[in-house]
């Protein structure tokens, strides 16, 4: 048996402690029961500083995070729209043999799915895109024309007087959304890449927003599902490879590069189906050093601008002279003197 005062409790002390503990628990239970009956018992309690319980804080943080994400997506979409290209450098396809073969390919695909007819590019618009850019007004378009003209000597230096011939063979797609005829491998690839790189450098040095992040891959587009957005609603979400499997190794012909055009993506196309062209450069010299179309367009624009400016200046000078005091009387005096001289001569 343990002695009292040696760290243990006697029987009376134990009973007192147990009784106090029971009273405390009973009082706490009664307090909780009374709070449950109050009308605010199930409501989040907010103190004077506006601080809520933890679940409410997490909810607000979640809403704030969601709003920030939406704001970032909206800004990203706006930036993409602001950077959207609306002009491009085009190498037009002028070989009728290539056009004929592409039409055969398009018809073969349409026979397998009539709905894809609306996704086909028109034969007059076939081209290779060298560079895309954004030109927002007439001033920037004129800068683009100047850049194109400055590109010509670089192209001539790359070609060294030789003709650049592009052979087309086979078919492929970009993510099953854009169908294109492939450029065959060969020695023509490097000079074409050099021309595209020179174009990008020349236009960017002019301060023009030009070029893409992805590497340049020359191709000849013949169809795009984006031309007919309603196709997706009809269940056509991709270009089925079986549609063009017979043309995987098909030879479409060769194009001799003789012209590079600055074209608009948005302006009305020409009557032949080709894009609106602001200016062009022609590969090689023309007869007797005759200026090419781009130089003639640029020259005519400058002549018109000069004539308009001269007419405005002349109008302003005449207006200022009429507004000066005494000019009217002097004019009348001169006219009177002239009339008097004429009458004297008539008498003689």
């Amino acid at each position: 048996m343990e002695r009292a005062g040696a760290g243990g409790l006697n029987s009376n002390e134990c009973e007192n402690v147990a009784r106090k503990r029971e009273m405390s628990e009973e009082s706490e239970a009664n307090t909780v029961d009374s709070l449950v009956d109050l009308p605010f018992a199930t409501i989040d309690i907010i103190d004077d500083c506006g601080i809520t319980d933890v679940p409410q804080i997490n909810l607000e943080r979640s809403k704030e995070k969601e709003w920030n994400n939406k704001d970032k997506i909206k800004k990203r979409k706006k930036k993409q729209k602001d950077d959207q290209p609306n002009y491009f450098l085009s190498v037009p396809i002028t070989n009728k043999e290539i056009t004929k073969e592409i039409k055969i390919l398009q018809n073969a695909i349409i026979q397998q799915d009539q709905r894809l007819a609306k996704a086909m590019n028109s034969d007059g618009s076939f081209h290779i895109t060298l560079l895309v850019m954004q030109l927002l007004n007439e001033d920037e378009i004129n800068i683009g024309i100047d850049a194109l003209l400055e590109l010509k000597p670089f192209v001539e230096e790359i070609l060294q007087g030789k003709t650049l011939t592009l052979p087309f063979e086979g078919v492929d797609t970009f993510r099953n959304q854009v169908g294109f005829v492939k450029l065959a491998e060969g020695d023509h690839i490097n000079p074409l890449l050099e021309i595209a790189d020179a174009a990008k450098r020349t236009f960017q040095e002019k301060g023009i927003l030009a070029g893409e992040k992805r590497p340049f891959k020359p191709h000849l587009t013949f169809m795009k599902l984006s031309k007919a957005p309603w196709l997706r609603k009809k269940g056509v979400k991709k270009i089925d490879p079986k549609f063009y499997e017979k043309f995987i190794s098909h030879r479409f012909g060769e194009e001799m590069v003789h012209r590079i055009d600055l074209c608009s993506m948005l302006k009305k196309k020409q009557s032949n189906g080709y894009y609106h062209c602001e200016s062009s450069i022609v590969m090689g010299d023309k007869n007797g050093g005759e200026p090419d179309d781009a130089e003639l367009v640029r020259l005519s624009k400058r002549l018109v601008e000069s004539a308009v400016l001269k007419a405005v200046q002349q109008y302003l000078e005449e207006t200022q002279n009429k507004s000066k005091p005494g000019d009217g009387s002097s004019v009348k005096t001169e006219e009177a003197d002239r009339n008097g001289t004429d009458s004297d001569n008539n008498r003689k």
Side-chain angles (χ1 to χ4, degrees):
M1 181 179 285
E2 294 182 358
R3 291 173 292 141
L9 295 175
N10 57 34
S11 59
N12 292 333
E13 289 175 338
C14 287
E15 291 176 0
N16 292 335
V17 170
R19 191 178 298 111
K20 288 180 179 179
R21 184 178 298 165
E22 289 175 0
M23 292 175 64
S24 176
E25 291 176 353
E26 183 180 354
S27 174
E28 182 177 352
N30 291 335
T31 303
V32 172
D33 290 340
S34 63
L35 285 173
V36 170
D37 292 335
L38 294 176
F40 55 80
T42 57
I43 299 176
D44 293 333
I45 300 172
I46 304 177
D47 64 12
D48 293 338
C49 296
I51 300 176
T52 64
D53 60 355
V54 173
Q56 183 68 20
I57 292 174
N58 290 339
L59 181 61
E60 290 183 358
R61 287 177 179 173
S62 177
K63 288 181 179 179
E64 183 180 357
K65 185 177 181 181
E66 183 180 355
W67 185 87
N68 288 336
N69 288 339
K70 287 182 179 179
D71 188 52
K72 288 179 181 178
I73 293 173
K74 193 178 292 184
K75 288 181 179 178
R76 192 183 303 121
K77 287 183 177 179
K78 183 178 184 302
K79 186 178 186 301
Q80 290 174 350
K81 187 176 181 181
D82 291 342
D83 295 343
Q84 191 74 19
N86 59 345
Y87 275 83
F88 65 101
L89 289 186
S90 164
V91 175
I93 300 301
T94 58
N95 186 345
K96 293 182 179 180
E97 182 64 26
I98 296 177
T99 300
K100 176 185 173 183
E101 294 299 319
I102 292 179
K103 293 297 292 182
I104 294 174
L105 165 64
Q106 290 177 326
N107 290 332
I109 294 175
I110 293 172
Q111 286 177 4
Q112 298 174 75
D113 192 335
Q114 294 288 333
R115 297 172 297 179
L116 293 176
K118 296 295 183 181
M120 298 299 171
N121 287 21
S122 60
D123 52 1
S125 65
F126 295 146
H127 68 280
I128 293 179
T129 299
L130 286 179
L131 182 72
V132 295
M133 69 196 73
Q134 186 183 72
L135 304 174
L136 298 177
N137 50 54
E138 286 299 320
D139 289 339
E140 291 188 2
I141 292 174
N142 287 331
I143 293 174
I145 293 173
D146 288 339
L148 178 61
L149 295 176
E150 290 182 14
L151 175 63
K152 183 174 181 178
F154 292 109
V155 174
E156 291 176 343
E157 183 179 354
I158 293 170
L159 296 180
Q160 294 291 313
K162 299 178 182 178
T163 301
L164 180 59
T165 303
L166 306 178
F168 293 94
E169 181 179 343
V171 177
D172 201 353
T173 67
F174 291 124
R175 301 187 305 277
N176 294 319
Q177 299 296 307
V178 177
F180 63 90
V181 175
K182 296 193 296 183
L183 186 63
E185 296 295 329
D187 296 337
H188 53 275
I189 296 291
N190 283 339
L192 185 63
L193 295 179
E194 288 181 28
I195 291 173
D197 186 61
K200 183 177 181 179
R201 184 175 61 253
T202 303
F203 277 77
Q204 287 182 345
E205 287 176 354
K206 287 282 189 179
I208 294 174
L209 184 63
E212 297 178 282
K213 292 182 180 179
R214 58 189 177 188
F216 171 63
K217 183 177 180 178
H219 60 279
L220 201 174
T221 301
F222 66 87
M223 71 176 295
K224 292 189 290 187
L225 293 185
S226 60
K227 289 174 66 68
W230 54 268
L231 284 172
R232 180 169 289 272
K233 296 180 181 179
K234 297 290 185 179
V236 183
K237 298 181 179 180
K238 66 177 185 177
I239 302 171
D240 195 327
K242 72 179 183 181
F243 289 163
Y244 56 84
E245 60 184 359
K246 294 181 180 179
F247 295 84
I248 292 296
S249 301
H250 186 78
R251 293 183 178 181
F252 289 84
E254 298 181 344
E255 176 69 30
M256 295 176 61
V257 178
H258 70 284
R259 200 175 82 225
I260 297 176
D261 301 325
L262 176 61
C263 297
S264 170
M265 298 180 185
L266 305 178
K267 292 183 179 180
K268 185 177 179 180
K269 290 184 178 181
Q270 301 178 35
S271 57
N272 61 0
Y274 191 62
Y275 297 88
H276 172 86
C277 181
E278 299 287 351
S279 186
S280 305
I281 56 174
V282 177
M283 305 298 103
D285 294 330
K286 296 186 75 176
N287 297 334
E290 181 183 340
D292 58 32
D293 294 342
E295 292 169 339
L296 289 173
V297 170
R298 190 162 180 257
L299 179 60
S300 63
K301 283 186 176 181
R302 286 185 174 178
L303 289 173
V304 171
E305 290 173 357
S306 177
V308 171
L309 181 60
K310 187 175 181 180
V312 171
Q313 290 176 342
Q314 184 176 354
Y315 172 76
L316 292 175
E317 290 175 359
E318 291 177 354
T319 303
Q320 290 174 355
N321 290 335
K322 289 181 180 179
S323 63
K324 290 180 180 180
D327 284 352
S329 60
S330 62
V331 171
K332 290 179 180 179
T333 303
E334 290 177 1
E335 290 180 353
D337 292 342
R338 193 180 301 112
N339 291 335
T341 304
D342 292 340
S343 60
D344 290 341
N345 291 334
N346 290 333
R347 289 193 197 101
K348 293 178 182 177

